[in-house]
Amino acid sequence: MGSNSSNTAGNIVGSTINAPVNVNGSRHVITLRAARSNSSIPPSHNLSKPWRKISWGDNARDLQYVKDYKPGNKDIKHVRILLYGPDGAGTSSFINSVCSVIQGRVTTPALTSVNSFERIYETFKIRKEGNPETFCHFIFNDVMDLKDGDGICADDIKLTLKGHVKEGYQFKPSSPLSPGDPGYNPRPSADDKVHVLVCVLSADSAGITDSVLKKMVDIREAASELGIPQMAIGTNIDLAFPETERDLKNVYKSQQLKQKVKDFSAAVGVPENYIFPVKNYSDEIEINDDVNTLILSALRQMINLGDNFIEKLI
C-alpha cells in the first residue's frame, strides 16, 4: 500500500461510509459491519449470476490435492502459512476448520491455554485422516491477534516472516524480540521462513481502528519487501449476511458480500481475487460439504501461492 495507505484506509465500509482515517495518529474507527435486518432480503441483494465460480459439493479433487501436495524444493518440507489479523478475526478457528476438513470430522487442535495477552509461537501440523504418523506438507503459524494499543508488535511479525522466531517463543507486547534473546533464531533455514502471508478478517467485525490497520499495513509492506505472496480470508460470512446464513451457496451471489470484498481489498491492499470468504466450523458437530468447499478453495490458493514462492528459492 506504501504511501497511499492513509488514503485507502478510509475506503472500507459496510453499509455506511465513514470519514477518511489517518493511520498515523488519529483514533477513528473503520466500520466493517454489514447492515443486518430481521426482514427478508430483497431480490436485488442476490445477483442472478455468481460473481465468482466455484464447484459446490465436488470436494474430492481439492481434498486429494491438499493431502498429496509436496514442495518441489528438496530443502523445504512444508509450505509455511502465517495467519494474522485483528482481535477476534478467527485465525485459530480457521486452523481448526482446516484440520476438520482434512480429517473428515470436527476437531479443535489449535486450542491453547495461553491467555489473550500472551501467545507462544507455535507451528500447527495437520494430520492426515486414517494415518496418525502422516502429516500434510503445509503448516500454519498463528500469532497474537493485533489489538489497539497492545497485542503483538509488528516488528515481531516481521522477524517471524524472516524465520528469526524460534518455536516456543512467547511473544511479549511490551518487549519485542531482538538478536541475542533466547527466542531469536540467528540463522533461519528456508524451511523456517514464511512462504505465504494470510490476513484474516471477520466480515462481522464491528470495526478496525487506525492503529491496528497501521500494524497490518506495516506487516504487508515487510512481506512485500521479502517477496512473500499474500492473500486474505473473510470469516463469519454466515453471521454478517442473512442470505449466506440461510444458504452458504449464496456466498458468490451476495451483492453485499461482493462489496465487502471490495472494501477489504481497498483497506488491506490485497487484490479482490485473492480474498476468499469462508465459514469456520463453530457450533457444528458434523462435517458440512458447503463449509468444506469454501475452506478448500482458500486452502488450495494458499498452497499454490506458497509453492510458487518456494520455487523461486531453488
Side-chain angles (χ1 to χ4, degrees), residues 117 144 149-153 156 169-177:
F117 297 101
M144 183 188 296
D150 56 19
I152 190 171
C153 299
D156 275 350
Y169 170 73
Q170 182 174 301
F171 291 104
K172 303 175 182 65
S174 60
S175 179
L177 182 65

Side-chain angles (χ1 to χ4, degrees), residues 23 30 34 37 59 82-83 104 135 151 170 176-177 183-184 186 203 207 220 225 229 243-244 274-275 278 283 285 304:
V23 297
I30 302 167
S37 171
N59 297 326
L82 179 65
L83 305 176
F135 294 87
Q170 182 174 301
L177 182 65
Y184 186 87
R220 282 206 64 248
E225 291 174 2
E243 59 266 42
T244 52
Y274 286 90
I275 300 176
V278 300
D283 56 352
I285 60 174
N304 288 341

Side-chain angles (χ1 to χ4, degrees), residues 59-248:
N59 297 326
R61 182 190 63 177
D62 286 344
L63 183 59
Q64 198 63 46
Y65 174 84
V66 300
K67 285 183 176 181
D68 293 345
Y69 167 78
K70 291 183 180 180
N73 187 336
K74 64 180 181 180
D75 296 325
I76 296 177
K77 298 179 181 179
H78 309 93
V79 165
R80 186 178 296 273
I81 303 167
L82 179 65
L83 305 176
Y84 78 104
D87 187 27
T91 54
S92 295
S93 294
F94 180 74
I95 297 173
N96 295 341
S97 297
V98 169
C99 188
S100 296
V101 174
I102 300 299
Q103 294 191 2
R105 58 185 177 86
V106 177
T107 183
T108 54
L111 291 178
T112 175
S113 60
V114 181
N115 67 42
S116 60
F117 297 101
E118 299 175 336
R119 178 64 65 89
I120 293 175
Y121 185 63
E122 186 176 2
T123 298
F124 296 97
K125 298 180 180 180
I126 308 298
R127 196 185 307 273
K128 293 184 181 180
E129 178 188 10
N131 192 336
E133 303 300 324
T134 304
F135 294 87
C136 296
H137 289 272
F138 60 89
I139 54 179
F140 290 104
N141 288 106
D142 175 21
V143 295
M144 183 188 296
D145 297 333
L146 302 178
K147 297 181 180 180
D148 186 24
D150 56 19
I152 190 171
C153 299
D155 287 343
D156 275 350
I157 295 189
K158 294 176 185 179
L159 291 176
T160 304
L161 293 173
K162 299 177 182 179
H164 286 300
V165 180
K166 290 183 178 179
E167 182 81 9
Y169 170 73
Q170 182 174 301
F171 291 104
K172 303 175 182 65
S174 60
S175 179
L177 182 65
S178 61
D181 290 343
Y184 186 87
N185 178 10
R187 292 178 294 275
S189 67
D191 215 24
D192 294 326
K193 299 176 181 179
V194 170
H195 306 127
V196 58
L197 177 67
V198 180
C199 177
V200 184
L201 296 165
S202 173
D204 194 45
S205 173
I208 301 177
T209 62
D210 59 316
S211 63
V212 172
L213 186 64
K214 186 180 184 303
K215 290 181 182 181
M216 295 169 66
V217 171
D218 290 344
I219 293 165
R220 282 206 64 248
E221 289 180 344
S224 295
E225 291 174 2
L226 297 170
I228 297 173
Q230 303 170 44
M231 59 174 284
I233 58 174
T235 62
N236 297 323
I237 58 172
D238 56 316
L239 301 179
F241 307 103
E243 59 266 42
T244 52
E245 184 179 26
R246 289 196 299 264
D247 188 350
L248 274 183

